[in-house]
Amino acid sequence: MSSHLKTENHNAAHAVHAHAVAKATLALALACAALAATQARAGTTGSISLTSDYLFRGVSQTNQEPALQGGIEYAHDSGFYVGAWGSNISWLSDTVVVGDDISSSLELDGYLGYRGKAGEIFSYDVGVLTYYYPGDYPSGFNSPNTTEIYLGGTLAPSETVSVGLKYSYAVTDLFGYADSDGSGYIDANLNWTFQPGWTLNLHGGKQWIENNEAFEYTDWKLGVTKTFESGFSVAAAYSDTDAEKALYTNAHNNFLADSAFTLTVSKAF
């Protein structure tokens, strides 16, 4: 999941920030893993998704083009879980300095953690997540690979309403920003099942970036998800940010943190 890209020798902005888990923003499998509101189920689960634009923390990872994504997770009765998730991306190859040779079109994520409950309506989730971007990079390029630890909590006062809060802390440089270890992202989510199979999704988040304050921003999302008994789901969402346009416009002159409408079709298995 990506953010603005920096090399060790360049401070100029060529931003494509951004993160499914995440995800969404990782996509659906990672998002569900990070903010689960119910007791963890033992066994293996997964999903595959097609989305009109891979948005991570409000910023497009695919130059506002579609993405194919998938994830798989194993959860133990004890509450421990481990999983992997992947998506096509283009933010690294789209965000370049003239003369640089960057070739990366895939994001691969791995995570492990523990989920538990405290009482009847509160659940918590703690873990570590690594974002890995295989590819070819020029000499002196600051690696985009990122590791975050996270802590989340969800309050579910009823079967139809849940409120979640999650904080992610980068223990490495954040997605290629120079000297940015210690960066943080906090997001709040409200999910309301207003009709059987229909859920309203509200999200708000804030990204802090150590030693790169100009690139910090907030993002929000309003969406609705329709789930089917077959395991398919369809999600529509409108997202926006207050990111600085000049800092988040890529080499194709696309403002990647602009307001966006996305449509995602997913199949759980």
Side-chain angles (χ1 to χ4, degrees), residues 249-261:
T249 297
N250 70 4
H252 298 282
N253 202 33
N254 288 330
F255 177 33
L256 300 179
D258 202 358
S259 58
F261 175 82

Side-chain angles (χ1 to χ4, degrees), residues 5-269:
L5 175 61
K6 284 194 170 184
T7 69
E8 302 259 341
N9 300 317
H10 296 276
N11 292 320
H14 296 279
V16 183
H17 174 88
H19 190 206
V21 217
K23 292 157 110 329
T25 299
L26 296 191
L28 298 179
L30 188 57
C32 293
L35 292 172
T38 59
Q39 188 87 27
R41 295 179 299 167
T44 301
T45 58
S47 71
I48 186 168
S49 303
L50 178 64
T51 183
S52 60
D53 187 1
Y54 172 18
L55 294 183
F56 175 65
R57 298 177 182 173
V59 180
S60 177
Q61 309 298 284
T62 50
N63 198 32
Q64 300 168 342
E65 297 292 336
L68 180 64
Q69 306 169 331
I72 189 166
E73 179 185 299
Y74 173 75
H76 190 265
D77 283 326
S78 64
F80 287 99
Y81 61 89
V82 61
W85 184 89
S87 176
N88 62 286
I89 59 152
S90 66
W91 68 272
L92 283 158
S93 57
D94 291 335
T95 308
V96 298
V97 176
V98 175
D100 282 350
D101 183 15
I102 302 173
S103 175
S104 179
S105 60
L106 185 64
E107 174 185 332
L108 297 174
D109 303 337
Y111 60 95
L112 60 89
Y114 178 82
R115 300 189 193 100
K117 297 195 73 173
E120 292 298 317
I121 65 174
F122 181 76
S123 61
Y124 59 89
D125 183 11
V126 59
V128 58
L129 168 65
T130 292
Y131 307 89
Y132 176 60
Y133 303 93
D136 297 322
Y137 302 99
S139 176
F141 188 83
N142 198 28
S143 173
N145 299 333
T146 300
T147 297
E148 293 181 327
I149 56 176
Y150 56 85
L151 173 64
T154 301
L155 189 67
S158 72
E159 293 183 354
T160 59
V161 177
S162 67
V163 181
L165 187 67
K166 178 184 175 185
Y167 182 71
S168 300
Y169 178 85
V171 296
T172 64
D173 280 350
L174 184 75
F175 305 116
Y177 286 97
D179 302 319
S180 59
D181 57 300
S183 299
Y185 181 78
I186 189 167
D187 63 288
N189 296 275
L190 170 66
N191 295 297
W192 172 39
T193 302
F194 56 91
Q195 289 289 337
W198 290 91
T199 302
L200 180 70
N201 314 117
L202 299 177
H203 159 84
K206 171 68 177 181
Q207 179 72 71
W208 292 275
I209 308 174
E210 285 292 307
N211 299 311
N212 295 270
E213 288 79 6
F215 297 93
E216 297 178 350
Y217 66 95
T218 58
D219 70 284
W220 62 271
K221 179 177 73 174
L222 171 63
V224 63
T225 301
K226 169 60 176 174
T227 58
F228 301 91
E229 292 183 359
S230 61
F232 279 96
S233 64
V234 179
Y238 179 81
S239 305
D240 203 357
T241 79
D242 66 355
E244 183 67 34
K245 183 175 182 179
L247 302 181
Y248 284 87
T249 297
N250 70 4
H252 298 282
N253 202 33
N254 288 330
F255 177 33
L256 300 179
D258 202 358
S259 58
F261 175 82
T262 56
L263 185 65
T264 303
V265 178
S266 182
K267 174 66 168 70
F269 57 86

